[in-house]
């Protein structure tokens, strides 16, 4: 969303999507300041800090003291009309602001000046927004592709945090463990579902393998800024590896290669 003024402030507080504030150029601000000074020295800007900064730069360019224009920051708890009336009641005669503030000032017989945004600034802002949107779309595509790979692979993939609590598991992992894994500690998930790492299998478990699911585990730590944040664990059933080996031997035998 491209916005400015109170709408920008409100959206910034209330929504989590990408926002771009429409910038102003020093030239437009200087023009507005010069026009305001031609009416009165009782001037107030009702708006946001970025525009007020440009107004001050405009005053500096004009060789006028910067404190001759007061700044009234937009208040999201009041309407713009209410804030404009507050400033008029304090004796200000010229309002620099957005459309609603200007119209309110004019309604009460005072001067209202709206700062126009240069067309080139608008075009540049739109191009910046398009660039950000394109980048977000690419990231979303990559995320969807990564998710599709996780969903399609026959190997179980489990992501855990530093406390070994499961954050995510693909369908293959949930099939191996016979249900949802989210929120469980990895060791508890192994124990509760009788899944046994082949590297830790005991002789008793080998005597009755039908009661257990033997797997090969491969743990890859996730390092962010030099610190381990968790791990990604791959889970492969030993029975599937044995089945694949059997199919491969059978295929080679049929082809006369075994």
């Amino acid at each position: 969303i491209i916005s400015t003024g109170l709408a920008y402030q409100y959206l910034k507080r209330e929504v989590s999507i990408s926002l771009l504030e429409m910038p102003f150029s020093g030239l437009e601000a200087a023009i507005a300041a010069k026009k305001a000074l031609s009416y009165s020295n009782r001037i107030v800007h009702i708006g946001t800090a970025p525009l007020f900064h440009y107004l001050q730069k405009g005053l500096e360019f004009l060789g006028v003291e910067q404190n001759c224009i007061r700044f009234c920051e937009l208040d999201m708890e009041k309407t713009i009309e209410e804030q404009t009336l507050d400033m008029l009641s304090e004796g200000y005669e010229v309002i620099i602001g957005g459309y609603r503030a200007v119209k309110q000032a004019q309604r009460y017989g005072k001067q209202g000046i709206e700062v126009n945004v240069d067309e080139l600034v608008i075009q540049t802002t739109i191009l910046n927004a398009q660039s950000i949107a394109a980048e977000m779309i690419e990231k979303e595509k990559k995320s969807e592709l990564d998710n599709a790979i996780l969903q399609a692979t026959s190997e179980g993939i489990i992501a855990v945090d530093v406390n070994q609590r499961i954050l995510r598991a693909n369908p293959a992992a949930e099939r191996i463990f016979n249900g949802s894994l989210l929120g469980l500690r990895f060791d508890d998930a192994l124990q509760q579902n009788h899944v046994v790492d082949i590297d830790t299998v005991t002789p008793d478990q080998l005597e009755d393998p039908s009661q257990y699911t033997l797997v090969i585990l491969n743990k890859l730590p996730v390092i962010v800024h030099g610190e381990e944040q968790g791990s990604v664990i791959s889970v492969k059933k030993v029975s599937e590896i044995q089945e694949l080996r059997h199919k491969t031997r059978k295929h080679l035998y049929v082809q006369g290669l075994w």
Side-chain angles (χ1 to χ4, degrees):
I1 295 177
I2 301 173
S3 186
T4 189
L6 186 62
Y8 174 82
Q9 297 296 329
Y10 180 82
L11 290 168
K12 186 178 180 181
R13 185 183 72 175
E14 299 294 334
V15 302
S16 58
I17 64 175
S18 295
L19 292 171
L20 275 182
E21 185 172 16
M22 181 73 73
F24 294 91
S25 72
L27 178 60
E28 280 70 39
I31 292 171
K34 184 177 180 180
K35 186 176 180 180
L37 288 167
S38 70
Y39 292 118
S40 171
N41 62 356
R42 296 287 293 165
I43 308 166
V44 62
H45 165 54
I46 303 175
T48 58
L51 178 52
F52 184 62
H53 169 75
Y54 281 115
L55 286 170
Q56 289 183 307
K57 288 293 183 182
L59 292 172
E60 182 181 350
F61 174 77
L62 296 170
V64 180
E65 290 186 10
Q66 295 182 4
N67 60 6
C68 71
I69 297 180
R70 179 185 165 183
F71 176 45
C72 174
E73 189 167 11
L74 288 169
D75 182 355
M76 286 183 283
E77 304 304 321
K78 287 185 175 182
T79 66
I80 294 176
E81 288 78 7
E82 288 173 340
Q83 293 173 76
T84 304
L85 282 178
D86 288 343
M87 293 298 99
L88 294 178
S89 67
E90 291 185 25
Y92 289 96
E93 298 176 346
V94 183
I95 304 292
I96 300 176
Y99 175 81
R100 289 168 60 188
V102 167
K103 288 301 178 184
Q104 182 76 333
Q106 293 172 346
R107 190 176 294 119
Y108 283 83
K110 304 298 181 180
Q111 296 295 331
I113 299 174
E114 188 174 2
V115 181
N116 295 315
V117 181
D118 184 81
E119 184 177 345
L120 181 59
V121 172
I122 295 175
Q123 291 175 348
T124 302
T125 305
I126 291 173
L127 288 174
N128 288 339
Q130 289 174 333
S131 176
I132 292 172
E135 185 178 340
M136 291 174 63
I137 290 171
E138 284 303 314
K139 286 183 179 179
E140 187 175 349
K141 285 180 179 178
K142 185 178 184 303
S143 177
E144 289 297 326
L145 179 60
D146 291 343
N147 188 58
I149 293 172
L150 282 176
Q151 299 295 317
T153 182
S154 61
E155 189 169 330
I157 304 294
I158 296 172
V160 300
D161 63 16
V162 290
N163 298 314
Q164 297 299 298
R165 195 163 297 279
I166 297 173
L167 303 174
R168 188 175 180 185
N170 71 343
E174 293 185 338
R175 286 194 295 271
I176 294 171
F177 284 81
N178 299 310
S180 177
L181 296 171
L182 296 183
L184 295 174
R185 292 191 76 259
F186 184 67
D187 289 343
D188 293 339
L190 290 173
Q191 185 176 5
Q192 292 173 15
N193 295 280
H194 306 291
V195 178
V196 180
D197 181 3
I198 195 168
D199 290 335
T200 62
V201 66
T202 65
D204 292 339
Q205 291 170 334
L206 286 175
E207 286 182 7
D208 191 7
S210 63
Q211 300 298 316
Y212 302 93
T213 302
L214 294 180
V215 297
I216 296 174
L217 300 179
N218 183 34
K219 180 180 178 182
L220 179 67
V222 177
I223 307 297
V224 180
H225 301 305
E227 294 186 7
E228 185 172 337
Q229 301 297 318
S231 306
V232 174
I233 303 170
S234 66
V235 186
K236 189 71 175 179
K237 292 175 70 174
V238 172
S239 61
E240 290 181 355
I241 297 174
Q242 292 171 336
E243 183 180 352
L244 179 61
R245 182 184 301 170
H246 174 73
K247 287 182 178 179
T248 302
R249 285 179 174 177
K250 183 178 180 181
H251 177 74
L252 292 174
Y253 180 78
V254 171
Q255 295 297 321
L257 301 173
W258 186 269

